[in-house]
Amino acid sequence: MSSSVPETVRQRVETLRQEIEEHDYLYYVLNRPRISDREYDLLMRELEELEARYPELRSPLSPTQRVGEKLTEGFRTITHAVPMLSISNTYSQAELREFDERVKRLLGLSGDLEYVVELKIDGVAVTVRYEDGALAYGATRGDGFQGDDITANLRTIRSVPLQLPRLGGGRDGRIIEVRGEVYLDYPGFERINRQREAEGEPLFANPRNATAGSLKQLDPAIVAQRPLQTFFYAIGETDYVLPPTHAERLEVLEQLHFRVNPHRSVCRSIEEVIEKTKEWETRRETLDYATDGLVVKVNRVEYWERLGATAKAPRWVVAYKFSAEQAVTTLKEIVCQVGRTGTVTPVAVLEPVFLAGTVVSRATLHNAEEIQRKDIRVGDQVVIEKAGEIIPQVVRVLTELRTGREKPFEFPRNCPCCGSPLLFSEKEVAVRCENASCPDQIKDRLLHFGQRDAMDIEGLGTQLTEQLVAKLGVRRFGDLYRLSREALESLERMGPKSAENLVQAIEASKTRPLWALIFGLGIRHVGLQSAKDLAAHFGSLDALRKASREQLLAVEGIGEIVAESIESFFRNPDNAAMLDDLLACGVRPEEGAGIARRAAQAGAERGPVASPIAGKTFVLTGTLKSMTRSEATQRIEALGGRTSSSVSAKTDYVVVGEEAGSKLEKAHKLGIQTLNEEEFLALLEGKE
Ligand code: IVH
């Protein structure tokens, strides 16, 4: 071990690694951070610098090495040392009692048997293998016997330990394989979808799809940006010395720093298990991640071997599935919708049916792959369900009800709207129409242009845009500004009053702030935040239009892909003409300083003191009595502040409304100032 690295440096690197791992554990596993983001960043930076200076010290086990290189050859296949079986399902109390009877009969026991009840996490099953305390590899379940080697992606998830602490007491072995679920909580899922929406990418249907899609990425850098979480619940191959019950083994997993779901209970009989199922049927709605049932496991592990498994599933475990609200209806037709960036999405047109409070007549089918996988045909009787309680989905086809007249769906080769050939790319499941003047794209672009966060043209909804394009020949944004009241009155459901209101709303949009216009243009990959960053940086549309790639890249938060997209948008002659036309129509976005100017005006009313809100970052949580969340956001921004959706060390104030949740807890943990509604209003009014 002769080397030029001073012993003090070697020790410091070791200490830093241990400290950072410890802080990752405190933050990502226990949700109890002990230091601020800034302090954490400093430790990380120090370690990075030392590793850069002394390359001999580099190690894949270092927390700096979580995000690795892109995989160029796809995933290797891994054969599981112990197969990853699935679990049989039950749907009723009666079936649970039958399960209990069967287990006791096979074991030759009478009396009550002890069970552990856990949540069934609706994510993606994975296994992680540790050899001599270090992460050796991680894999997907695959077919239960072989899965994909997704080590590089799992390493990016910071609740997955790179190294295990020692248990001591002679309990440690050389090998342990731990199984669990990777998932996204609802806020994380929504964050990903909001970003995809802003970027014109097709949305993920539910958190599980988003998780699966993330883990399939070949670029760990992309995976690292997804807020993936884990819960571990089982052990595969191991030579560790383990306690005799499953409940105690879960505690061992906790001692090994794995994230284990806290909602688990030991039940002394199947009747207690049944009580738990009743409790969770409604309580699950309070969780911020998806569960599709409970998992019931015999607590004593020695019984597991005696019970064994069927071809499909072990006999010592059973899932109890929660009831999802479902309905059966006829799929009448599959139509394809073209979004503003040209993405073509297949949609099922259904015989209208009542489901969980609303009449459902359409369901998203996501993409061609999904239709094929579920073998969905036109004319089928289908089971539909609300995914994540919002968007209706086709769960499965009732193939036993087929008459033979159902027709398989063929994805059109040409755009269903404008007829131009569709682009099927190898790289993504999305199919695109590349014709920028495709009417469906125009409609969706107009809709986006008029939305609240963009040009804020009230009344410019789906039905109106449809008519504007079809009947009044609206093609470009500028056409909106040439609409006369008379022309509008000729449309369906448009009286003189609504026509007048619309004309006024369109007129008022001419002075929307620059960021609103930039966002409204619908440039691919440019979401609301990027639009605001660009407006603040360039200050005028003209400067933005002329910006070079380098200048764009200099804007914080703008990377290669976004810069390229912006550049190609403004280079496009059609877009240039469209913008010149908009300006000729009198659109004068309040240039960059719009926000600052209003802040200054607000300040002027109170004297020359700058608003206490300017430059500050706010997080809103809970419900305010006097205003909606978006009104609160607008008022903060009007005074030069900004809002963020998550609490971090960079947050200045957390505004706490009624029924505030985890953000309040986090604010307390990080010692961030909280404001109740009254204090917040006082601050807005400059009373301090
Ligand atoms: S135990 C052989 N516990 O559900 C038993 N599985 O439908 C090993 N799952 O493949 C699994 N939460 O992906 C277990 N608390 C939990 C679980 C759980 C979710 C998943 C797991 C499994 C699937 C079976």
Side-chain angles (χ1 to χ4, degrees), residues 570-583:
F570 289 113
R571 292 281 171 283
N572 178 315
D574 290 338
N575 290 335
M578 176 274 289
L579 284 168
D580 292 337
D581 179 43
L582 262 185
L583 297 174

Side-chain angles (χ1 to χ4, degrees), residues 84-87 89 118-126 141 180-181 233-234 292 295 297 314 316-317 319:
M84 295 177 76
L85 298 180
S86 57
I87 314 181
N89 290 325
E118 296 167 27
L119 294 177
K120 188 167 188 302
I121 310 300
D122 195 8
V124 174
V126 299
R141 176 170 176 270
E181 211 79 359
Y233 46 65
D292 54 347
V295 180
K297 300 173 183 172
W316 46 267
V317 55

Side-chain angles (χ1 to χ4, degrees), residues 211-276:
T211 305
S214 302
L215 291 178
K216 268 191 214 144
Q217 290 290 334
L218 291 174
D219 185 355
I222 296 178
V223 188
Q225 286 167 12
R226 307 268 166 96
L228 297 171
Q229 258 302 4
T230 56
F231 280 127
F232 288 92
Y233 46 65
I235 298 172
E237 188 184 25
T238 189
D239 56 359
Y240 275 55
V241 180
L242 296 168
T245 64
H246 179 63
E248 293 165 295
R249 290 181 178 200
L250 290 177
E251 283 169 18
V252 170
L253 291 185
E254 284 180 331
Q255 287 159 18
L256 289 172
H257 288 186
F258 289 99
R259 199 160 179 269
V260 179
N261 194 294
H263 302 296
R264 54 187 200 258
S265 18
V266 176
C267 294
R268 276 163 308 181
S269 67
I270 200 70
E271 292 309 315
E272 275 189 27
V273 171
I274 288 168
E275 284 309 306
K276 281 284 158 205

